[in-house]
Amino acid sequence: MEKVDSLINHPGIISVFSVVVILMLLLDLGVFNKKSHTVTNKEAIAWSLVWITLSMAFSGVIYYYMGIEKFSQFQSAYWIEKALSVDNLFVFILVFGFFNVPKENHHKVLFWGIIGALVLRAIFIFSGVGLIKLTYLPEMEVLGYMVKINVVMTLFGIFLIYAGIKSWFAEDDDDAEKDFNTSPGARVVHKFFKVSKNYDGDKFFTIENGKKLATPLLVVVGVIEFTDLLFAVDSIPAIFAIAPDDPFILYTSNIFAILGLRALYFLLANFIHLFSKLKYGLAIILAFIGVKMVIAPIFHIESIHSLMVVGGVLVLSVLASVLFPEKKEEAAE
């Protein structure tokens, strides 16, 4: 079978992706989680396996129609986004704790947070790819090589190297001491709505003394959305290093990665000790992707090799977390 260069040239794959995502979201909210409840470890594991299986199956479709290079790009972008999103989930845990959100309402907040992410990621990825295509400099000689430097990709690379170094030395309690009421997401909700001090089940609005008020749950959604926006600043540039000219590979891999985050959140909340060294792995991944972007005009690192580096670093960071766990006193701090 003749391979296609981009998903845009194969509308059938896009149709399958769209149908699967919409169907699973409808089943998730409308059937399996119609009533708010506390998600058990068993349920979280089941949903994690479902989303990972769907993601791997879709990557198999990409391999069949597009070949090993596009398959490697999808896998690399998927696991980079998945890994960086875990760091995001640590902050979600702090947000829910700060606002004392009842456990049975966590799933609903995360669901609407991810719906917002679907829209924001589409805007970032498609506009980013368009901007990259417009910012190539004329071919020039650098260190004896004729190269074509892209301004945006180079700036992204430098930023990711900085972000990786900063992440390595970041203190674990930086976010723990944050007042999330001052988050721009919370301020936006307070600006447009009067907010009740009390929750009303899983409702975003309630009636008090004959007046319609927003509940703190809507404030939490605002904070979660803004937090995801901040983390996208790291994750979106990182995946541009994988397939800067194929927004559909980037978007489909990104969406499959974040759709499984709700289930992963509930596992992470209960097994947080398994990820105590993950921040060092993420720092290495960010720096590696940054270096890949900067040296790309002179030396291209194949997607399959990027996938091996990302996968190896993730496995080693989890193994290090298990073999050298934090002491209970340190974890409590």
Side-chain angles (χ1 to χ4, degrees), residues 248-314:
F248 291 97
I249 283 287
L250 298 180
Y251 185 65
T252 53
S253 60
N254 205 269
I255 295 312
F256 269 118
I258 65 175
L259 283 173
L261 289 186
R262 284 160 299 147
L264 186 59
Y265 163 81
F266 294 103
L267 289 177
L268 180 65
N270 293 327
F271 299 101
I272 197 169
H273 61 284
L274 295 179
F275 301 93
S276 62
K277 303 294 187 295
L278 183 63
K279 79 166 190 174
Y280 300 109
L282 297 181
I284 293 172
I285 290 172
L286 285 173
F288 166 73
I289 296 299
V291 170
K292 177 179 177 176
M293 284 177 143
V294 172
I295 68 174
I298 298 175
F299 182 77
H300 174 65
I301 300 176
E302 297 291 340
S303 297
I304 188 66
H305 297 144
S306 297
L307 178 58
M308 292 169 64
V309 171
V310 171
V313 170
L314 287 177

Side-chain angles (χ1 to χ4, degrees), residues 2 6 33 46 60 73 98 107 128 145 194 233 244 248 316:
E2 185 179 354
S6 173
N33 295 285
Q73 289 178 357
F98 181 86
H107 182 277
Y145 294 90
K194 289 186 176 180
V233 173
F248 291 97
L316 289 175

